[in-house]
Amino acid sequence: DIPIQYVCWKQNTTITYSATEPDGDSVVYSLAAPLRACGTPVTYNTFPGSARVTKILSQNPLCVYDFPGLPTGLYSPTNPIQLGFDTVGTCPVKTGVVRTLTFNQQARTLSFVPGVFDATALPNSGNNKYQIAVLITEYRRINGVRRVIGTVRREANIIVINCGPNTTPNPVTATPVTPKSGTQTVNTTDTTRIDVRTCNYSRVELNFTDPDNLKTPSANQLLTVTLPANINTDPNLLDSGDVGTFSLTGNGTTNPRGVFFFQPSPTTLGRTIRLNIRVEDNNCPIKGVQNRVVVIRIYKGFVATASAIVGATGIGNTTPASNAICPGGSLTLQGGVVRPDSIRRIATNTTQAQVYTYQWSVANAGGNGLPAVTTNQQIVVSPTVTTRYRLTASPTLGFAQGSCGDTTSIVVRVVPQPVVAATASVPSACIGAQVTLRATATRPTGTGSNLNDTYTYTWSGPGITAPNNTGATIPVTPTALGVNTYTVTARGASPYACTATSTVQVLGLAVITAKFAADSTGAAGKYNNRPPVTFTFTNQTTPVVGAAGAPTTYAWTYQRFKDLSNSPVADPVVNFSTAAAPAPLKLTQAGYYRVRLTTSVTGSANPCGTLVAERIVFVPDLQVPNIITPNGDGQNDLFRISSVNSTTSKLEIFNRWGRKVYEQSNYANNWGGDNQPAGVYYYLLTDNKGVQTKGWVEVVR
């Protein structure tokens, strides 16, 4: 507010140019060119440029300073003063940059550090002298159109002086000292800002210091603080308690202090108050001066709070940060007030609960879970859908009773229930065999960020015991015949921790052993040594049909693989039954047969035990002659009873008087009369099963 400003070389300076507008119109600030006549801007001089500068600051480690240079040019409204250079960056390369002028339109300040001082300048010369101008334009909305109402111009002469060792006072710092008031302070190089809340009491302290006193206590520089004399009574300022009051102590000492007491009424909502403060030291011959704008902004006092209490009941859990429950759960909501009421207006023994009433309501009607009593400070809700709960807190005692209440809200989200799927690596398995169970949990689509939840899994079922009952994938061993049911519970991570369950079944199969017995009879129903031979097979497979918990299938086959001479043959495999008890099998061709029983369990991918049984059966070819002529001509010389050279039968020969003349086990078709006289002989043929065949044979010589 002083037309000639003396500023210190190399020291930060802030100039204030705040204007007032009593009609409430908008004002816009901009830098402009000073006028040398009415409506005629000045002609700016040329500021000198500089060449590129590169120099080595140190060799070890290497550090280089580089300034790219500054071309010459004209001063301008945004570049009205020569500011000098700053060094930025770190080694190995530091760079010189031109300082900039800070123009704060909201705080209505201009801050800069003069960088050039000419000690040889004559008093009447223009050296060390600069001029700045600020244009303030007033706007008003008329019939919906923003129009310019008027302008005002503020100009000031800047004279840069060498303040020597003296430094300007420090910028004013503001500190809130009342907790929970919502008051915030911001201290920057050119602005001190205080944001306060309506209805809330708070105290903010201003501290005025000088760096020279901090560096050299013996300097004893005294500070004089100058601010509007009508700060507490001007309606455009603090207005005698409508916004608050200000008091200053220790003015003219080394450390003056100021205190704001705020408790704005609701009618002051939205106001912005700017206080121009000048701090001046008493250094001689040149005083240090610091100008400051303290900006006070008044916001609505959001004093009511609504929060969720940790430990929701029902399905799942929650935290106050999430305000979410799982389907079927409930949540405790806590109302509160964070307003630090002035002790000047409420008795100190009056508790918060006694001076506020609470009223809960819901924004959406369906599935809100609101309890019958909604005037308690704490309520329990059980919504079935995501619901917003509103809380109105109204003061019954204290400052501005009836107008300093507040409304807030809290959203309780009902998190969609996850879906868990459980699968088994095989649908059925033998008792004692290992099966892998796998679970996968997901949320329904459309739930946004909740899709990528992290789940833990807990299993229960036959053969599962802790601690081997957790994990998305676990091995299990069915222990019971038939259906083994396994249950998995998936639990999401905090803050939701919703759970879901699923089951999977594994068919437990008994260990099967394929086995059967074989027997044979002749065509007349008796054992004999001549084809055809009828075989019966008794299925001895264990367990019996159905005991494995699933249908058991059977496949019966036979194949003649050798003839009577024990030579291999390539007869095909013949399927002759699929029944558990097959019909009798009649074989008409002599030779050796391989009979197989193959069992399987329907749906089993894991066969249990021995599933194939095999037996070898023999069909003899007994052709007994009734005459032999052992005369050495190679024709009927021997008593041949089979086409093979040996049999498994025992042969006994008797003469007509019943005397045994020959006996041989495993007869080899080699009896040719054995020097017995011609005549009729009787034979007895006994096979390996004890079946006997009797007859006679005539020996002709």
Side-chain angles (χ1 to χ4, degrees), residues 124-157:
N124 294 329
S125 70
N127 291 356
N128 301 327
K129 299 177 181 179
Y130 304 90
Q131 193 168 15
I132 61 171
V134 176
L135 179 64
I136 305 169
T137 305
E138 177 186 6
Y139 290 90
R140 182 180 301 171
R141 189 174 296 279
I142 301 175
N143 296 328
V145 179
R146 191 173 176 219
R147 301 183 183 276
V148 176
I149 300 302
T151 61
V152 65
R153 182 182 295 267
R154 302 291 300 277
E155 296 188 9
N157 292 326

Side-chain angles (χ1 to χ4, degrees), residues 428-431 433 509-512 599-601 603-611:
S428 57
C430 307
I431 300 299
L509 309 176
V511 176
I512 295 177
T599 65
S600 63
V601 179
S604 175
N606 185 14
C608 303
T610 303
L611 300 183

Side-chain angles (χ1 to χ4, degrees), residues 422-439 459 462-464 468 472-480 482 484-486 504-509 603-608:
T423 59
S425 57
V426 292
S428 57
C430 307
I431 300 299
Q434 183 171 292
V435 179
T436 300
L437 303 182
R438 180 173 287 102
W459 297 82
I464 297 180
N468 302 316
T473 302
I474 66 168
V476 298
T477 302
T479 59
N484 290 257
T485 301
Y486 298 92
V504 61
Q505 294 180 338
V506 177
L507 195 62
L509 309 176
S604 175
N606 185 14
C608 303

Side-chain angles (χ1 to χ4, degrees), residues 17 139 189 205 219 349 389 392 411 457 513 518 605 623 669 689-690:
Y17 45 86
Y139 290 90
T189 56
E205 295 182 353
N349 61 350
Y389 295 89
T392 299
V411 174
Y457 302 89
T513 301
Q623 302 294 334
N669 289 330
K689 292 184 179 180

